Amino acid sequence: MAIWQREIITFLLLFFAVCVIGLFTKLFLPLLLVLMIFLLCRHLYQIHRFEKWLRMGRQNIYPKTTGVWEEIYYHVYRIRKNNKRRKKKLSKMVDQFRESTEALPDAAVVLNATDEIEWANKAARDVLGLKQSDKGQRIPNLIRFPEFIQYLKSKQYDEPVILPSPINNKITLAVRIIKYGAGLRLLLAQDVTQLKQMERMRKDFVANVSHELRTPLTVIKGYLETLQDVDEGMSPLLTNSLKNMLGQTDRMQYLVDGLLLLAHLETKSKKHEVINVPDLLMQICHEHEALLGDGRIELTLDSDAKLVGEEHELRSAFTNLLGNALKYSPEDTLIKLHWYQTSDALLLDVIDQGEGISVADISRVTERFYRVENKRDKKVNGTGLGLAIVKHVLMRHDAHLIIRSELGKGSCFQCTFPIQRLGE
Ligand code: ADP
């Protein structure tokens, strides 16, 4: 029988007994009053005991009692026990998590919404020089590199920022911030010294090899041109071979020059000069027109804005874009160049009505050596380095390249420079 049913039956039996005795003694109402006072006192006493038990916080035992109160004690006791078990499990998990993050080779620091350190692991102390006592300190007061402070303020944490370690400048760190919870951020710093060293070695290697290949190539080309001059066309095989060899040497020279330029773009410090872009574009267009002489280029200058940057690099990028537009579109189509300005950018559009690029290829054409294999009527020479050079040059000018293209209809290569680059 359920405990509540038993409680009600007991009450009904007592009430019945009072009714019977009351009938015989004619004292029904006083007896009923006594019964009510008794029941009320009993429950008040139980409530007092229960409140005392809760207040004392004793978890192992509960006072001996009967009826519905035993049931109430038992349920509360069970809930408390479960909570205790859960709390124990949770704190064990937190301890395990702390231990594992302590053992992480990467530095990890938890920052609150006001950039104060909430917690840091051992690696953070070793590699960032943080101390236990730094808890609660603002991180920009401890890691004072301007690029780090700017990164922290920017709230744009997609890419990591590369910094030397504050306690050992031979160590290079890739620092990244991850947002989580309500205003909390996790700062992770990974030691990328070896990676950066290998990258530098690769760049140096490519630059050195390209540089060393230049002289032998010039010599070979010189001899081939001399041989071509003395060839009297007696042997068609020899004439053809010399032509092919010269073609391949030219291609190799072009490739080596491209690689060397890319290596320079990756390593050279940036120069800041004011470039008259309209003049530069006019020069480039005239050079191509002089070479082709077919009036295919239409240049529209809607702005006389000058740009802060490096002329040699921009010349190379714009020449590549115009060269590609000419290479990859039919000879009877127009190439349009448009230089203009908006409230927040300076823009150059290079528009052609050529073969276009598929969506899948658009994201890849700026990779080194990537060439789209199209079934063209005539073979188009190239190295696959042109757009990689364009991308690098634009990156060095805080600009970006947007490619819009439709297969069979044409392409628009848009260079967008931030207005901050506007030169006086
Ligand atoms: P290259 O022209 O030497 O092959 P690029 O890096 O300049 O190398 O270009 C990469 C590829 O992108 C080219 O092989 C070509 O398929 C494609 N491409 C570049 N510009 C255009 C364009 N204006 N129209 C169509 N395809 C283009």
Side-chain angles (χ1 to χ4, degrees):
M1 200 189 292
I3 198 89
W4 270 107
Q5 282 169 331
R6 241 189 291 155
E7 199 78 0
I8 289 166
I9 288 171
T10 315
F11 174 75
L12 287 177
L13 283 176
L14 283 170
F15 183 71
F16 182 71
V18 165
C19 286
V20 172
I21 300 170
L23 207 70
F24 287 113
T25 57
K26 307 253 188 282
L27 289 171
F28 172 68
L29 278 180
L31 280 175
L32 188 66
L33 193 69
V34 170
L35 174 68
M36 290 303 164
I37 291 172
F38 167 73
L39 289 176
L40 187 70
C41 287
R42 187 175 153 245
H43 282 298
L44 276 176
Y45 173 66
Q46 292 290 9
I47 290 171
H48 164 70
R49 275 178 81 192
F50 183 60
E51 187 270 337
K52 197 171 151 196
W53 178 69
L54 283 179
R55 190 161 21 92
M56 304 291 274
R58 269 193 220 132
Q59 304 208 340
N60 297 338
I61 39 159
Y62 55 89
K64 262 219 150 0
T65 183
T66 54
V68 75
W69 279 102
E70 187 178 11
E71 195 77 356
I72 293 172
Y73 273 113
Y74 172 70
H75 285 308
V76 175
Y77 167 77
R78 223 189 45 205
I79 292 169
R80 277 179 150 195
K81 211 168 170 183
N82 281 347
N83 275 349
K84 193 181 164 194
R85 205 177 303 137
R86 221 171 291 145
K87 227 162 133 185
K88 227 174 167 176
K89 208 167 143 187
L90 216 72
S91 88
K92 202 172 155 194
M93 266 166 68
V94 170
D95 285 349
Q96 276 175 352
F97 174 74
R98 289 225 160 150
E99 273 168 31
S100 58
T101 41
E102 274 292 309
L104 268 180
D106 296 344
V109 184
V110 173
L111 302 174
N112 66 15
T114 49
D115 299 335
E116 286 163 356
I117 299 173
E118 297 259 316
W119 172 84
N121 70 351
K122 184 178 173 298
R125 299 193 285 277
D126 294 347
V127 96
L128 294 172
L130 301 179
K131 294 193 266 331
Q132 294 274 23
S133 55
D134 288 336
K135 197 172 164 195
Q137 294 272 352
R138 291 191 71 242
I139 196 130
N141 297 339
L142 303 169
I143 303 176
R144 289 165 169 270
F145 297 111
E147 51 273 55
F148 172 71
I149 294 173
Q150 206 183 342
Y151 177 68
L152 196 67
K153 274 192 200 155
S154 74
K155 310 228 181 299
Q156 297 291 317
Y157 305 135
D158 301 339
E159 294 290 320
V161 59
I162 306 294
L163 304 172
S165 155
I167 51 166
N168 182 356
N169 60 10
K170 288 196 182 108
I171 297 177
T172 309
L173 300 173
V175 177
R176 139 166 284 148
I177 292 179
I178 298 143
K179 290 186 205 168
Y180 75 98
L184 290 179
R185 280 159 301 161
L186 178 68
L187 180 149
L188 290 175
Q190 191 184 12
D191 184 344
V192 289
T193 316
Q194 260 192 343
L195 218 77
K196 286 282 152 195
Q197 252 167 12
M198 271 160 64
E199 204 177 301
R200 208 168 303 129
M201 269 164 64
R202 175 191 65 80
K203 284 177 190 165
D204 288 350
F205 176 76
V206 174
N208 289 341
V209 169
S210 314
H211 188 75
E212 292 304 321
L213 280 175
R214 265 182 147 186
T215 319
L217 269 175
T218 316
V219 175
I220 293 171
K221 195 176 168 193
Y223 278 120
L224 286 173
E225 277 168 352
T226 315
L227 283 173
Q228 211 173 29
D229 286 345
V230 296
D231 176 34
E232 285 165 350
M234 302 284 276
S235 152
L237 178 67
L238 184 67
T239 312
N240 214 11
S241 306
L242 282 174
K243 195 172 155 232
N244 276 342
M245 279 155 83
L246 255 171
Q248 290 301 326
T249 320
D250 277 342
R251 190 174 134 70
M252 210 150 140
Q253 217 163 25
Y254 193 62
L255 210 110
V256 165
D257 286 347
L259 280 174
L260 210 57
L261 180 58
L262 268 173
H264 275 300
L265 290 175
E266 283 178 333
T267 50
K268 233 176 28 174
S269 57
K270 295 179 201 168
K271 256 204 253 163
H272 290 287
E273 50 196 20
V274 178
I275 304 147
N276 190 330
V277 179
D279 276 359
L280 178 66
L281 289 172
M282 275 193 290
Q283 271 175 34
I284 295 172
C285 289
H286 282 151
E287 279 161 20
H288 278 80
E289 285 287 6
L291 217 68
L292 300 164
D294 53 4
R296 279 181 68 193
I297 307 169
E298 182 187 288
L299 173 65
T300 312
L301 298 169
D302 276 337
S303 161
D304 55 4
K306 293 176 181 155
L307 202 69
V308 177
E310 189 164 340
E311 181 166 346
H312 169 69
E313 292 180 10
L314 287 177
R315 176 185 287 277
S316 158
F318 297 163
T319 307
N320 269 314
L321 288 178
L322 178 58
N324 278 351
L326 290 163
K327 265 196 308 189
Y328 298 107
S329 46
E331 277 166 19
D332 55 351
T333 56
L334 201 65
I335 310 297
K336 291 182 186 164
L337 271 81
H338 187 194
W339 175 244
Y340 57 107
Q341 187 176 343
T342 61
S343 57
D344 55 359
L346 304 161
L347 299 110
L348 174 72
D349 288 355
V350 180
I351 306 161
D352 66 52
Q353 298 155 32
E355 61 184 47
I357 310 168
S358 71
V359 181
D361 284 321
I362 286 183
S363 56
R364 300 207 56 195
V365 284
T366 52
E367 286 174 20
R368 276 168 208 212
F369 299 113
Y370 190 82
R371 303 202 70 213
V372 182
E373 289 307 325
N374 272 359
K375 290 185 187 72
R376 303 182 178 101
D377 300 337
K378 113 175 164 234
K379 192 174 174 301
V380 179
N381 281 333
T383 56
L385 291 178
L387 289 180
I389 291 172
V390 174
K391 190 174 118 183
H392 263 82
V393 169
L394 293 188
M395 250 162 55
R396 280 167 65 86
H397 287 80
D398 311 316
H400 56 270
L401 179 70
I402 299 170
I403 307 173
R404 294 187 202 94
S405 189
E406 209 176 317
L407 274 179
K409 291 215 168 148
S411 315
C412 171
F413 288 77
Q414 186 174 66
C415 310
T416 311
F417 298 88
I419 200 74
Q420 290 78 359
R421 282 264 168 189
L422 182 69
E424 288 302 311

